Coordinates of all heavy atoms in Angstrom, one line a residue:
M1 N -37.6 1.0 -1.7 CA -37.1 0.8 -0.4 C -35.8 1.6 -0.2 O -35.0 1.7 -1.2 CB -36.8 -0.7 -0.2 CG -36.0 -1.0 1.0 SD -35.5 -2.8 1.2 CE -36.7 -3.8 0.5
I2 N -35.6 2.2 0.9 CA -34.3 2.9 1.3 C -33.6 2.1 2.4 O -34.2 1.9 3.5 CB -34.5 4.3 1.7 CG1 -35.2 5.1 0.5 CG2 -33.3 5.0 2.1 CD1 -35.6 6.5 0.9
V3 N -32.4 1.6 2.2 CA -31.7 0.9 3.2 C -30.6 1.8 3.8 O -30.4 2.9 3.4 CB -31.0 -0.4 2.5 CG1 -32.0 -1.3 1.9 CG2 -30.0 0.0 1.5
R4 N -30.0 1.2 4.8 CA -29.0 1.9 5.6 C -27.7 1.1 5.3 O -27.6 -0.1 5.5 CB -29.3 2.0 7.0 CG -28.1 2.7 7.8 CD -28.4 2.7 9.3 NE -29.4 3.7 9.5 CZ -29.7 4.1 10.7 NH1 -29.3 3.5 11.8 NH2 -30.6 5.1 10.9
I5 N -26.6 1.8 5.0 CA -25.2 1.3 4.9 C -24.5 1.9 6.0 O -24.3 3.1 6.0 CB -24.6 1.5 3.5 CG1 -25.4 1.0 2.4 CG2 -23.2 0.9 3.5 CD1 -24.9 1.5 1.0
E6 N -24.0 1.1 7.0 CA -23.2 1.5 8.1 C -21.8 1.0 7.9 O -21.6 -0.2 7.8 CB -23.8 1.0 9.4 CG -25.1 1.6 9.7 CD -25.7 1.0 11.0 OE1 -25.2 1.4 12.1 OE2 -26.6 0.2 10.9
I7 N -20.8 1.9 7.8 CA -19.4 1.6 7.6 C -18.6 1.9 8.8 O -18.8 3.0 9.4 CB -18.9 2.3 6.4 CG1 -19.7 1.9 5.1 CG2 -17.4 1.9 6.2 CD1 -19.4 2.8 3.9
E8 N -17.8 1.0 9.3 CA -16.9 1.2 10.4 C -15.5 0.9 9.9 O -15.2 0.2 8.9 CB -17.2 0.3 11.5 CG -18.5 0.6 12.2 CD -18.6 2.0 12.8 OE1 -17.6 2.5 13.3 OE2 -19.7 2.5 12.9
G9 N -14.5 1.4 10.6 CA -13.1 1.2 10.4 C -12.3 2.5 10.2 O -12.9 3.6 10.3
G10 N -11.1 2.4 10.0 CA -10.3 3.6 9.9 C -8.9 3.4 9.3 O -8.1 4.3 9.2
R11 N -8.6 2.2 8.9 CA -7.3 2.0 8.2 C -7.5 0.8 7.3 O -8.3 -0.1 7.4 CB -6.2 1.7 9.2 CG -6.5 0.6 10.3 CD -5.4 0.4 11.2 NE -5.6 -1.0 11.7 CZ -5.0 -1.5 12.6 NH1 -4.0 -0.9 13.2 NH2 -5.2 -2.7 13.0
A12 N -6.7 0.8 6.2 CA -6.8 -0.1 5.1 C -6.8 -1.6 5.6 O -6.0 -2.0 6.5 CB -5.7 0.1 4.1
G13 N -7.7 -2.4 5.1 CA -7.9 -3.8 5.5 C -8.7 -4.0 6.7 O -9.0 -5.2 7.0
F14 N -9.2 -2.9 7.3 CA -10.0 -3.1 8.5 C -11.3 -2.4 8.4 O -11.8 -1.9 9.5 CB -9.2 -2.6 9.7 CG -8.0 -3.5 10.0 CD1 -6.7 -3.1 9.5 CD2 -8.1 -4.7 10.6 CE1 -5.6 -3.9 9.8 CE2 -7.0 -5.5 10.9 CZ -5.8 -5.1 10.4
Y15 N -11.9 -2.3 7.3 CA -13.2 -1.7 7.1 C -14.2 -2.7 7.0 O -14.0 -3.9 6.5 CB -13.3 -0.8 5.8 CG -12.4 0.4 5.9 CD1 -11.1 0.5 5.6 CD2 -13.0 1.6 6.4 CE1 -10.4 1.7 5.6 CE2 -12.3 2.8 6.4 CZ -11.0 2.8 6.1 OH -10.3 4.0 6.1
E16 N -15.4 -2.4 7.5 CA -16.5 -3.4 7.5 C -17.8 -2.6 7.2 O -17.9 -1.4 7.5 CB -16.6 -4.2 8.7 CG -16.9 -3.3 10.0 CD -16.8 -4.2 11.3 OE1 -15.7 -4.4 11.8 OE2 -17.9 -4.6 11.7
Y17 N -18.8 -3.2 6.7 CA -20.1 -2.6 6.5 C -21.2 -3.5 6.9 O -21.0 -4.8 6.9 CB -20.2 -2.1 5.0 CG -20.4 -3.2 4.0 CD1 -21.7 -3.8 3.7 CD2 -19.3 -3.8 3.3 CE1 -21.9 -4.8 2.8 CE2 -19.5 -4.8 2.4 CZ -20.8 -5.3 2.2 OH -20.9 -6.3 1.3
R18 N -22.3 -2.9 7.1 CA -23.6 -3.7 7.4 C -24.7 -3.0 6.6 O -24.8 -1.7 6.7 CB -23.9 -3.7 8.9 CG -25.1 -4.4 9.2 CD -25.3 -4.5 10.8 NE -25.6 -3.2 11.3 CZ -24.9 -2.6 12.3 NH1 -23.8 -3.3 12.8 NH2 -25.1 -1.5 12.8
V19 N -25.5 -3.7 5.9 CA -26.7 -3.2 5.2 C -27.9 -3.6 6.0 O -28.1 -4.8 6.3 CB -26.8 -3.6 3.8 CG1 -28.0 -3.1 3.1 CG2 -25.5 -3.2 3.0
S20 N -28.8 -2.6 6.3 CA -30.0 -3.0 7.1 C -31.2 -2.3 6.5 O -31.1 -1.3 5.8 CB -29.8 -2.6 8.6 OG -29.5 -1.3 8.7
Y21 N -32.3 -2.8 6.9 CA -33.6 -2.2 6.5 C -34.5 -2.3 7.7 O -34.8 -3.4 8.2 CB -34.2 -2.9 5.3 CG -35.6 -2.3 4.9 CD1 -35.7 -1.0 4.4 CD2 -36.8 -3.0 5.1 CE1 -36.9 -0.5 4.0 CE2 -38.0 -2.5 4.8 CZ -38.0 -1.2 4.2 OH -39.3 -0.7 3.9
E22 N -35.0 -1.1 8.2 CA -35.8 -1.1 9.4 C -35.3 -1.9 10.5 O -36.0 -2.8 11.1 CB -37.3 -1.5 9.0 CG -37.9 -0.5 8.1 CD -39.4 -0.9 7.8 OE1 -39.9 -1.9 8.3 OE2 -40.1 -0.1 7.1
S23 N -34.0 -1.7 10.8 CA -33.3 -2.3 11.9 C -33.0 -3.8 11.8 O -32.5 -4.4 12.7 CB -34.1 -2.1 13.3 OG -34.2 -0.7 13.5
E24 N -33.4 -4.3 10.6 CA -33.0 -5.7 10.4 C -31.8 -5.8 9.4 O -31.8 -5.3 8.4 CB -34.2 -6.4 9.7 CG -33.9 -7.9 9.3 CD -35.1 -8.6 8.6 OE1 -36.2 -8.1 8.7 OE2 -34.8 -9.5 7.9
E25 N -30.8 -6.5 9.9 CA -29.6 -6.6 9.1 C -29.9 -7.5 7.9 O -30.4 -8.6 8.1 CB -28.4 -7.2 9.9 CG -27.1 -7.2 9.1 CD -25.9 -7.7 10.0 OE1 -25.7 -7.0 11.0 OE2 -25.2 -8.6 9.5
L26 N -29.5 -7.1 6.7 CA -29.7 -7.8 5.5 C -28.5 -8.7 5.2 O -28.6 -9.8 4.8 CB -30.1 -6.9 4.4 CG -31.4 -6.1 4.6 CD1 -31.6 -5.2 3.4 CD2 -32.6 -7.0 4.8
Y27 N -27.3 -8.0 5.2 CA -26.0 -8.7 5.0 C -24.9 -7.7 5.4 O -25.1 -6.6 5.7 CB -25.9 -9.1 3.5 CG -26.1 -8.0 2.5 CD1 -25.0 -7.2 2.0 CD2 -27.4 -7.6 2.0 CE1 -25.2 -6.2 1.1 CE2 -27.5 -6.6 1.1 CZ -26.5 -5.9 0.6 OH -26.6 -4.9 -0.2
A28 N -23.7 -8.3 5.5 CA -22.6 -7.5 6.0 C -21.3 -8.2 5.4 O -21.3 -9.3 5.0 CB -22.5 -7.5 7.5
D29 N -20.2 -7.4 5.6 CA -18.9 -8.0 5.2 C -17.8 -7.2 6.0 O -18.1 -6.1 6.4 CB -18.6 -7.9 3.7 CG -17.5 -8.8 3.2 OD1 -17.0 -9.5 4.0 OD2 -17.2 -8.7 2.0
A30 N -16.6 -7.8 6.1 CA -15.5 -7.1 6.8 C -14.2 -7.5 6.2 O -14.1 -8.4 5.3 CB -15.5 -7.7 8.3
G31 N -13.2 -6.7 6.6 CA -11.9 -6.9 6.0 C -11.6 -6.2 4.7 O -10.7 -6.6 3.9
L32 N -12.4 -5.2 4.4 CA -12.2 -4.5 3.1 C -11.2 -3.4 3.3 O -10.9 -2.9 4.4 CB -13.6 -3.9 2.7 CG -14.5 -5.1 2.3 CD1 -15.8 -5.0 3.1 CD2 -14.8 -5.1 0.9
G33 N -10.7 -2.9 2.1 CA -9.6 -1.9 2.1 C -9.9 -0.5 2.3 O -9.0 0.3 2.5
S34 N -11.2 -0.1 2.1 CA -11.5 1.3 2.1 C -13.0 1.5 2.2 O -13.8 0.6 2.1 CB -11.1 2.0 0.8 OG -11.8 1.5 -0.3
V35 N -13.4 2.8 2.5 CA -14.8 3.1 2.5 C -15.5 2.8 1.1 O -16.6 2.3 1.0 CB -15.0 4.6 2.9 CG1 -16.5 5.0 2.8 CG2 -14.5 4.8 4.4
A36 N -14.7 3.2 0.1 CA -15.3 3.0 -1.3 C -15.5 1.5 -1.5 O -16.5 1.1 -2.1 CB -14.3 3.6 -2.3
D37 N -14.6 0.6 -1.1 CA -14.8 -0.8 -1.2 C -16.0 -1.3 -0.5 O -16.7 -2.2 -1.0 CB -13.5 -1.6 -0.7 CG -12.3 -1.4 -1.6 OD1 -12.4 -0.9 -2.7 OD2 -11.2 -1.7 -1.1
C38 N -16.3 -0.8 0.7 CA -17.5 -1.1 1.4 C -18.7 -0.7 0.6 O -19.7 -1.5 0.5 CB -17.5 -0.4 2.8 SG -16.3 -1.1 3.9
L39 N -18.7 0.5 0.0 CA -19.9 0.9 -0.7 C -20.1 0.0 -1.9 O -21.3 -0.3 -2.2 CB -19.7 2.4 -1.2 CG -19.8 3.4 -0.1 CD1 -19.4 4.8 -0.7 CD2 -21.2 3.5 0.5
V40 N -19.0 -0.4 -2.6 CA -19.2 -1.3 -3.8 C -19.8 -2.6 -3.3 O -20.8 -3.1 -3.9 CB -17.8 -1.5 -4.4 CG1 -17.9 -2.7 -5.4 CG2 -17.3 -0.3 -5.1
G41 N -19.3 -3.2 -2.3 CA -19.8 -4.4 -1.7 C -21.2 -4.3 -1.3 O -22.1 -5.2 -1.6
A42 N -21.6 -3.2 -0.7 CA -22.9 -3.0 -0.2 C -23.9 -2.9 -1.4 O -25.0 -3.5 -1.3 CB -23.0 -1.8 0.7
V43 N -23.6 -2.1 -2.4 CA -24.5 -1.9 -3.5 C -24.6 -3.1 -4.3 O -25.7 -3.4 -4.8 CB -24.0 -0.7 -4.3 CG1 -24.8 -0.5 -5.6 CG2 -24.2 0.6 -3.5
E44 N -23.5 -3.8 -4.5 CA -23.6 -5.0 -5.4 C -24.6 -6.1 -4.8 O -25.1 -6.8 -5.6 CB -22.2 -5.7 -5.5 CG -21.3 -4.9 -6.5 CD -19.9 -5.5 -6.6 OE1 -19.5 -6.4 -5.7 OE2 -19.2 -5.2 -7.5
G45 N -24.8 -6.1 -3.5 CA -25.6 -7.1 -3.0 C -27.1 -6.7 -2.8 O -27.9 -7.5 -2.3
M46 N -27.4 -5.5 -3.3 CA -28.8 -5.0 -3.0 C -29.8 -5.6 -4.0 O -29.6 -5.9 -5.2 CB -28.8 -3.5 -3.2 CG -28.1 -2.8 -2.1 SD -28.3 -1.1 -2.1 CE -27.3 -0.7 -0.6
A47 N -31.0 -5.8 -3.4 CA -32.2 -6.3 -4.1 C -32.6 -5.2 -5.1 O -32.4 -4.1 -5.0 CB -33.3 -6.7 -3.2
P48 N -33.3 -5.7 -6.2 CA -33.8 -4.8 -7.2 C -34.8 -3.7 -6.7 O -34.9 -2.6 -7.3 CB -34.5 -5.6 -8.3 CG -34.0 -7.0 -8.0 CD -33.6 -7.1 -6.5
D49 N -35.5 -3.9 -5.6 CA -36.4 -3.0 -5.1 C -35.8 -1.9 -4.3 O -36.5 -1.0 -3.8 CB -37.5 -3.6 -4.4 CG -37.1 -4.5 -3.1 OD1 -35.9 -4.8 -3.1 OD2 -37.9 -4.7 -2.3
V50 N -34.5 -1.9 -4.1 CA -33.8 -0.9 -3.3 C -33.5 0.3 -4.2 O -32.9 0.2 -5.3 CB -32.4 -1.4 -2.7 CG1 -31.7 -0.2 -2.0 CG2 -32.7 -2.5 -1.7
L51 N -34.1 1.5 -3.9 CA -33.9 2.7 -4.7 C -32.8 3.6 -4.2 O -32.2 4.3 -5.0 CB -35.2 3.5 -4.7 CG -36.5 2.7 -5.2 CD1 -37.7 3.5 -5.0 CD2 -36.3 2.3 -6.6
A52 N -32.5 3.6 -2.9 CA -31.6 4.5 -2.4 C -31.0 4.0 -1.1 O -31.5 3.0 -0.6 CB -32.3 5.9 -2.1
A53 N -29.9 4.6 -0.6 CA -29.2 4.1 0.6 C -28.8 5.3 1.4 O -28.3 6.3 0.9 CB -28.0 3.3 0.3
E54 N -29.0 5.2 2.7 CA -28.6 6.1 3.7 C -27.2 5.7 4.1 O -27.0 4.6 4.5 CB -29.5 6.1 4.9 CG -29.3 7.1 6.0 CD -30.4 7.0 7.0 OE1 -30.2 6.0 7.9 OE2 -31.3 7.8 7.1
V55 N -26.2 6.6 3.9 CA -24.8 6.1 4.2 C -24.3 6.7 5.5 O -24.4 7.9 5.7 CB -23.9 6.7 3.0 CG1 -22.4 6.3 3.3 CG2 -24.3 6.0 1.7
W56 N -23.8 5.8 6.4 CA -23.3 6.2 7.7 C -21.8 5.8 7.7 O -21.5 4.7 7.2 CB -24.0 5.5 8.8 CG -25.4 5.9 9.1 CD1 -26.5 5.7 8.2 CD2 -25.9 6.5 10.2 NE1 -27.6 6.2 8.8 CE2 -27.3 6.7 10.0 CE3 -25.3 6.9 11.4 CZ2 -28.1 7.2 11.0 CZ3 -26.1 7.5 12.4 CH2 -27.5 7.6 12.2
Y57 N -21.0 6.6 8.4 CA -19.6 6.2 8.5 C -19.2 6.6 10.0 O -19.4 7.7 10.4 CB -18.7 7.0 7.6 CG -17.2 6.6 7.8 CD1 -16.7 5.4 7.7 CD2 -16.3 7.7 8.2 CE1 -15.4 5.1 7.9 CE2 -15.0 7.4 8.4 CZ -14.5 6.1 8.3 OH -13.2 5.8 8.5
R58 N -18.7 5.6 10.7 CA -18.4 5.7 12.1 C -19.5 6.4 13.0 O -19.2 7.2 13.8 CB -17.1 6.5 12.2 CG -15.9 5.7 11.5 CD -14.5 6.4 11.7 NE -14.2 6.3 13.1 CZ -13.2 7.0 13.7 NH1 -12.6 7.9 13.0 NH2 -13.0 6.9 14.9
G59 N -20.7 5.9 12.7 CA -21.8 6.4 13.5 C -22.4 7.7 13.1 O -23.3 8.2 13.8
I60 N -22.0 8.3 12.0 CA -22.5 9.6 11.6 C -23.0 9.5 10.2 O -22.3 9.0 9.3 CB -21.4 10.7 11.7 CG1 -20.9 10.8 13.2 CG2 -21.8 12.0 11.1 CD1 -19.8 11.7 13.4
V61 N -24.3 9.9 10.0 CA -24.9 9.9 8.6 C -24.3 11.0 7.8 O -24.1 12.2 8.2 CB -26.4 10.0 8.7 CG1 -26.9 11.4 9.2 CG2 -27.0 9.7 7.4
S62 N -23.9 10.6 6.5 CA -23.4 11.6 5.6 C -24.5 12.0 4.6 O -24.4 13.1 3.9 CB -22.1 11.1 4.9 OG -22.4 10.0 4.1
G63 N -25.5 11.1 4.4 CA -26.5 11.5 3.4 C -27.2 10.3 2.9 O -26.9 9.1 3.2
T64 N -28.3 10.6 2.2 CA -29.1 9.6 1.5 C -29.0 9.8 0.0 O -29.2 10.9 -0.5 CB -30.6 9.7 1.9 OG1 -30.6 9.5 3.4 CG2 -31.4 8.6 1.3
Y65 N -28.6 8.7 -0.7 CA -28.3 8.8 -2.1 C -29.0 7.8 -2.9 O -29.1 6.7 -2.5 CB -26.8 8.6 -2.3 CG -25.8 9.4 -1.5 CD1 -25.4 9.0 -0.2 CD2 -25.4 10.6 -2.0 CE1 -24.5 9.8 0.5 CE2 -24.6 11.4 -1.2 CZ -24.1 11.0 0.0 OH -23.3 11.8 0.7
P66 N -29.5 8.2 -4.1 CA -30.1 7.2 -5.0 C -28.9 6.3 -5.4 O -27.8 6.7 -5.6 CB -30.6 8.0 -6.2 CG -30.7 9.4 -5.7 CD -29.7 9.6 -4.6
L67 N -29.2 5.0 -5.7 CA -28.2 4.0 -6.0 C -27.4 4.4 -7.2 O -26.2 4.3 -7.3 CB -28.8 2.6 -6.2 CG -29.3 2.0 -4.9 CD1 -29.7 0.5 -5.2 CD2 -28.3 2.0 -3.8
P68 N -28.0 5.0 -8.3 CA -27.2 5.4 -9.4 C -26.2 6.5 -9.1 O -25.0 6.5 -9.6 CB -28.2 6.0 -10.4 CG -29.5 5.3 -10.1 CD -29.5 5.1 -8.6
V69 N -26.4 7.3 -8.1 CA -25.5 8.3 -7.7 C -24.3 7.7 -7.0 O -23.1 8.0 -7.3 CB -26.1 9.4 -6.8 CG1 -25.1 10.3 -6.1 CG2 -27.1 10.2 -7.6
I70 N -24.6 6.7 -6.1 CA -23.5 6.0 -5.5 C -22.6 5.3 -6.5 O -21.4 5.3 -6.5 CB -24.0 4.9 -4.4 CG1 -24.7 5.7 -3.3 CG2 -22.9 4.1 -3.9 CD1 -25.4 4.8 -2.3
G71 N -23.2 4.7 -7.5 CA -22.5 3.9 -8.5 C -21.7 4.8 -9.4 O -20.6 4.4 -9.8
T72 N -22.2 6.0 -9.8 CA -21.4 6.9 -10.7 C -20.5 7.9 -10.0 O -19.6 8.4 -10.6 CB -22.4 7.7 -11.6 OG1 -23.2 8.5 -10.8 CG2 -23.2 6.7 -12.5
R73 N -20.7 8.1 -8.7 CA -19.9 9.0 -8.0 C -19.3 8.4 -6.7 O -19.3 9.0 -5.6 CB -20.7 10.3 -7.6 CG -21.2 11.0 -8.8 CD -21.7 12.3 -8.6 NE -22.1 13.0 -9.8 CZ -23.3 13.5 -10.1 NH1 -24.2 13.4 -9.2 NH2 -23.5 14.0 -11.2
L74 N -18.9 7.2 -6.8 CA -18.5 6.3 -5.7 C -17.4 7.0 -4.8 O -17.5 7.1 -3.6 CB -17.9 5.0 -6.2 CG -17.4 4.0 -5.2 CD1 -18.5 3.5 -4.3 CD2 -16.7 2.9 -5.9
E75 N -16.3 7.5 -5.4 CA -15.3 8.1 -4.7 C -15.7 9.4 -4.0 O -15.3 9.7 -2.8 CB -14.1 8.5 -5.6 CG -13.4 7.2 -6.1 CD -12.7 6.3 -5.0 OE1 -12.4 6.9 -4.0 OE2 -12.7 5.1 -5.2
Q76 N -16.6 10.2 -4.6 CA -17.1 11.4 -4.0 C -18.0 11.1 -2.8 O -17.9 11.7 -1.8 CB -17.9 12.3 -5.0 CG -17.0 12.9 -6.0 CD -17.0 12.1 -7.3 OE1 -17.2 10.8 -7.3 NE2 -16.7 12.7 -8.4
V77 N -18.9 10.1 -2.9 CA -19.8 9.7 -1.8 C -18.9 9.1 -0.6 O -19.1 9.5 0.5 CB -20.8 8.6 -2.3 CG1 -21.5 8.0 -1.1 CG2 -21.7 9.2 -3.3
A78 N -17.9 8.4 -0.9 CA -17.0 7.8 0.1 C -16.2 9.0 0.8 O -16.2 9.0 2.0 CB -16.0 6.8 -0.5
A79 N -15.7 9.9 0.0 CA -14.9 11.0 0.6 C -15.9 11.9 1.4 O -15.5 12.4 2.5 CB -14.3 11.9 -0.5
H80 N -17.1 12.1 1.0 CA -18.1 12.9 1.7 C -18.4 12.3 3.1 O -18.4 12.9 4.1 CB -19.3 13.1 0.9 CG -20.3 14.0 1.6 ND1 -21.4 13.5 2.3 CD2 -20.3 15.4 1.7 CE1 -22.1 14.6 2.8 NE2 -21.5 15.7 2.5
A81 N -18.5 11.0 3.1 CA -18.8 10.3 4.3 C -17.7 10.4 5.3 O -17.8 10.7 6.5 CB -19.0 8.8 4.1
V82 N -16.4 10.2 4.8 CA -15.2 10.4 5.7 C -15.1 11.8 6.2 O -14.9 12.0 7.4 CB -14.0 9.9 5.0 CG1 -12.7 10.2 5.8 CG2 -14.1 8.4 4.7
N83 N -15.2 12.7 5.3 CA -15.0 14.1 5.7 C -16.1 14.6 6.7 O -15.8 15.4 7.6 CB -15.0 15.0 4.5 CG -13.8 14.8 3.6 OD1 -12.7 14.3 4.0 ND2 -13.9 15.1 2.3
T84 N -17.3 14.2 6.4 CA -18.4 14.6 7.4 C -18.2 14.0 8.7 O -18.3 14.8 9.7 CB -19.8 14.1 6.8 OG1 -20.0 14.7 5.5 CG2 -20.9 14.4 7.7
A85 N -17.8 12.8 8.8 CA -17.6 12.1 10.1 C -16.4 12.8 10.9 O -16.4 13.1 12.0 CB -17.3 10.7 10.0
E86 N -15.3 13.1 10.1 CA -14.1 13.7 10.7 C -14.4 15.1 11.2 O -14.0 15.5 12.3 CB -13.0 13.8 9.7 CG -12.3 12.4 9.5 CD -11.2 12.5 8.4 OE1 -10.9 13.6 7.9 OE2 -10.7 11.4 8.1
A87 N -15.2 15.9 10.4 CA -15.6 17.2 10.8 C -16.4 17.2 12.1 O -16.2 18.1 13.0 CB -16.3 18.0 9.7
I88 N -17.4 16.3 12.2 CA -18.2 16.3 13.3 C -17.5 15.8 14.5 O -17.6 16.4 15.6 CB -19.5 15.5 13.0 CG1 -20.4 16.2 12.0 CG2 -20.3 15.1 14.3 CD1 -21.6 15.4 11.5
R89 N -16.7 14.8 14.4 CA -15.9 14.3 15.5 C -14.9 15.4 16.0 O -14.6 15.5 17.2 CB -15.1 13.0 15.1 CG -16.1 11.8 15.0 CD -15.3 10.6 14.7 NE -16.2 9.5 14.6 CZ -16.8 8.9 15.6 NH1 -16.6 9.2 16.8 NH2 -17.6 7.8 15.4
E90 N -14.3 16.1 15.1 CA -13.4 17.2 15.5 C -14.2 18.3 16.3 O -13.7 18.8 17.3 CB -12.8 17.8 14.2 CG -11.7 18.9 14.6 CD -11.1 19.5 13.3 OE1 -10.6 18.7 12.5 OE2 -11.1 20.7 13.1
A91 N -15.3 18.6 15.8 CA -16.2 19.6 16.5 C -16.6 19.2 17.9 O -16.7 20.0 18.8 CB -17.4 20.0 15.7
L92 N -16.8 17.9 18.0 CA -17.1 17.3 19.3 C -15.9 17.0 20.2 O -16.1 16.7 21.4 CB -17.9 16.0 19.1 CG -19.2 16.1 18.5 CD1 -19.8 14.7 18.1 CD2 -20.2 16.9 19.3
G93 N -14.7 17.2 19.6 CA -13.5 17.0 20.5 C -13.2 15.5 20.6 O -12.4 15.1 21.5
E94 N -13.7 14.7 19.7 CA -13.4 13.2 19.7 C -12.2 12.9 18.8 O -11.9 13.7 17.9 CB -14.6 12.5 19.2 CG -15.8 12.6 20.2 CD -17.0 11.9 19.6 OE1 -16.9 11.2 18.6 OE2 -18.0 12.0 20.3
D95 N -11.6 11.8 18.9 CA -10.5 11.3 18.1 C -9.3 12.2 18.3 O -8.4 12.5 18.0 CB -10.8 11.2 16.6 CG -11.7 10.0 16.3 OD1 -11.9 9.2 17.2 OD2 -12.2 9.9 15.2

């Protein structure tokens, strides 16, 4: 199974995430300190049959990653999500 992790927020203490599968929300949390904290929370709650996750930040997908990659390269996955969203929003003239 491949789930979706959607992360919103933009300043410390105000990040939130939602994990869903086929448009059904599985679980969520809010009030986290960073994108990386959201990824940790999201992955820790996953069922054993989840193999990978599609990571979204502020409405923009940054990639689909096997769970071991998220676990071992947490900071890189988080930075990629933030940088991808910022680059696309800049190109669109948003923010």
Side-chain angles (χ1 to χ4, degrees):
M1 169 187 329
I2 299 173
V3 298
R4 176 182 286 187
I5 301 171
E6 295 178 72
I7 302 170
E8 293 295 331
R11 49 182 206 184
F14 294 98
Y15 288 88
E16 60 186 87
Y17 71 86
R18 180 175 68 234
V19 177
S20 60
Y21 178 69
E22 294 185 355
S23 301
E24 179 184 336
E25 185 174 308
L26 303 175
Y27 54 94
D29 198 4
L32 293 125
S34 68
V35 172
D37 290 345
C38 289
L39 288 172
V40 168
V43 171
E44 284 179 346
M46 289 190 182
D49 60 339
V50 176
L51 302 174
E54 186 178 77
V55 177
W56 290 67
Y57 177 63
R58 297 185 67 200
I60 297 177
V61 67
S62 65
T64 303
Y65 304 92
L67 290 188
V69 170
I70 295 173
T72 59
R73 297 191 178 126
L74 179 68
E75 292 297 330
Q76 292 95 333
V77 172
H80 184 259
V82 171
N83 293 337
T84 299
E86 286 178 2
I88 291 174
R89 288 183 181 283
E90 183 178 308
L92 293 172
E94 297 178 3
D95 287 348

